[in-house]
Structure formats: C-alpha cells, structure tokens
Amino acid sequence: MYRIVADSSCDFSSYPEIDFRSVPLTLSTAEREFTDDCNLNVRDMMDYMTSYKGRCQTACPSVESWLEAFEGAQELYVLTITSGLSGTYNSACLAANQFLEDHPDVKVRVFDTKSTGPEMRLLMEKIVELKSQGKSFTEVCKEADAYLSTTRLFFSFQSLHNLAQNGRVNKVLASALGMLHISILGTATPEGVIEPIGKSRGENALIRSFVKEIEKAGYQGGKVRICHADNEALAQNVTSALREKYPNLDAFIYPAGGLCSFYVENGGIILGCEC
Ligand code: X90
C-alpha cells in the first residue's frame, strides 16, 4: 500500500480509490484565518478577500501537519508546490527527514513539482497509474521525475494584485494590469517561478494565445487539466479550442482550491498539460 500526500495547492482534498491526504496551506488577514481544506468555502473566502482592504497573506503547512498526514504510511509520495515561490517544499522535507528518523523502514519521496495545481494533478495521476502497473518505489520515483519534465503549466490572470502584494511577482508588472479586458498569460519556468508570456485583449485573443503557447511548448494532444477561479466558461472554451485540433483530447476541468484561487484571482485559470 502506498499513500500520496500533496499540499492543498493541488486543488483536491480527496482522490477516489487511493490513500490520499491533502495538507492545507493557510490564508489570513489581520482579522481572519482560512485553512485551505475541504471545509473551506472558496467563494466566501474570495468575496471576503476582495472586500478586505488590508493585506492578505499565505503560509505554508507546518512540519507537524505534514507529519500527521504521513502517520501510518509505508510508502509515501509527497508532492509540493514550487520551492521557487513557497516554503512548502522545505517544510515537507523537514517533516520527511523527521519521519524517517522515527520510521527508518518507510519509503518517502518528496517531489518539488516546480509548479502547482493542475501540473501536480497530472503527476498524481501518473503515480497512481505507475502503481497500478505494479511498479516499485524506485521505478515510480524515476518515472515520475521523467514525467514531470514533460509536463507544463500555463495560466491567465486578470489581476496580479495578490501575487505582487506577497512579493511573488514584480510590482511594475502587476501595475501594468488592471485595465479592463486585459489578461496576462504566464507559464512556470523550469526553476518554478512565474514568467509572463504576453497580454491579450478579450477572451478570444486569450484562448488563441493559450493554444499557440501550448503548441509552442511541444503539445501534441496529451492530457490537459484545468482549474479555474470562478471561470468555468473560459476553461471550457480553451478546451473546445484544443478539441477542434485534437478530437480525442483527455481534459478535466474543476474549480481551484483556496490557495490557487487566491493567487490566480477571480476569472483566472491554470492549465497543466503533457507536452
Ligand atoms: O508558501 C506560501 O505562502 C504559498 C505561496 C504561493 C505563491 C504562488 C502561488 C501561485 C498559484 C498562480 C499561477 C501559477 C504559478 C506557477 C508556479 C510556478 C497560482
């Protein structure tokens, strides 16, 4: 038996038919704290954050919360949001080392996905697939690493306010946005930071740039996973544009969890794909 543990930026708090645990990040203002778990009402949190005039911060999971999620497992695959933007990978490694001291026979691998959301989702699905083929811990680690180097993450924002406020993108870049109907398309670099690719005016132009950039990255009809911050229509429209070219497209659209919603902001979508 194996267990997959991922931080809550993966957008899921359960995964059918496997032993899965999600470890929440937290979001807070001076007045309130939100835990990004299955009890969080993302829409209420987003409404509150939008109306709140002060600063909103996020924090990575504590070592203790990882340890709690590891308890009882024999073979652990731990997936984290990029170490380029969060201390989550670091806290997961600290927890893994501590867990191994107390349980020397347990197998643990922590993956720094250099990404988040839908690309983490793709990796989770890959690990499940490899385990269902009866692969050993070592084989899974090796093949999962190879897989991760073939997947990519793209996203669109209508506002970079929360990323800029938390020092995760340049403030100059953020202030260039905020104009009506302008979206920024970005990607995760191999180092796991945000790289803006370009601006689009209007949804049709944005959809065209999504398709163009994904294909430029080598996309040839592989799996696509998209999470959206209250914008299922955009996710559907990007999927339809891809399906015109790739009729057998394997796509899955779902609402973003608290962490991804907060940073991609209302209207944004995050797309992970096999390239
Ligand atoms: O540790 C913490 O407090 C969490 C900080 C996370 C900061 C960034 C989250 C971004 C989530 C935005 C689009 C995708 C980013 C690509 C990653 C390289 C969503």
Side-chain angles (χ1 to χ4, degrees), residues 199-215:
K199 284 184 211 159
S200 313
R201 182 184 290 271
E203 187 168 293
N204 291 336
L206 177 61
I207 295 165
R208 278 196 301 276
S209 347
F210 258 112
V211 175
K212 185 173 130 232
E213 292 301 330
I214 292 165
E215 288 185 326

Side-chain angles (χ1 to χ4, degrees), residues 53-220:
K53 292 296 165 241
R55 207 186 139 146
C56 309
Q57 283 172 291
T58 58
C60 68
S62 64
V63 171
E64 290 66 37
S65 58
W66 285 112
L67 285 170
E68 210 176 293
F70 296 168
E71 202 50 56
Q74 293 302 315
E75 183 176 329
L76 270 166
Y77 301 94
V78 183
L79 278 56
T80 76
I81 185 170
T82 173
S83 63
L85 297 173
S86 171
T88 301
Y89 173 69
N90 189 48
S91 81
C93 287
L94 289 172
N97 290 336
Q98 200 168 315
F99 194 67
L100 278 171
E101 272 177 30
D102 300 335
H103 309 85
D105 299 331
V106 171
K107 296 186 173 76
V108 187
R109 171 67 203 277
V110 185
F111 293 89
D112 174 1
T113 65
K114 309 277 186 194
S115 187
T116 189
E119 199 176 351
M120 282 168 82
R121 172 73 197 192
L122 285 171
L123 185 61
M124 272 157 62
E125 291 179 18
K126 184 50 134 190
I127 294 171
V128 173
E129 180 191 317
L130 292 167
K131 286 311 293 180
S132 74
Q133 294 163 354
K135 302 264 161 104
S136 70
F137 177 72
T138 319
E139 288 167 328
V140 171
C141 292
K142 198 169 147 234
E143 291 186 38
D145 280 333
Y147 181 73
L148 197 52
S149 69
T150 66
T151 53
R152 290 287 304 270
L153 193 79
F154 294 89
F155 34 86
S156 68
F157 297 96
Q158 277 151 19
S159 160
L160 290 171
H161 174 261
N162 291 341
L163 279 166
Q165 192 184 57
N166 285 287
R168 261 84 185 186
V169 294
N170 189 310
K171 286 219 159 77
V172 178
L173 176 72
S175 62
L177 264 185
M179 283 169 285
L180 222 52
H181 308 308
I182 298 283
S183 304
I184 280 210
L185 185 65
T187 190
T189 67
E191 297 75 35
V193 295
I194 294 172
E195 180 178 280
I197 303 176
K199 284 184 211 159
S200 313
R201 182 184 290 271
E203 187 168 293
N204 291 336
L206 177 61
I207 295 165
R208 278 196 301 276
S209 347
F210 258 112
V211 175
K212 185 173 130 232
E213 292 301 330
I214 292 165
E215 288 185 326
K216 218 158 99 186
Y219 182 76
Q220 290 180 323

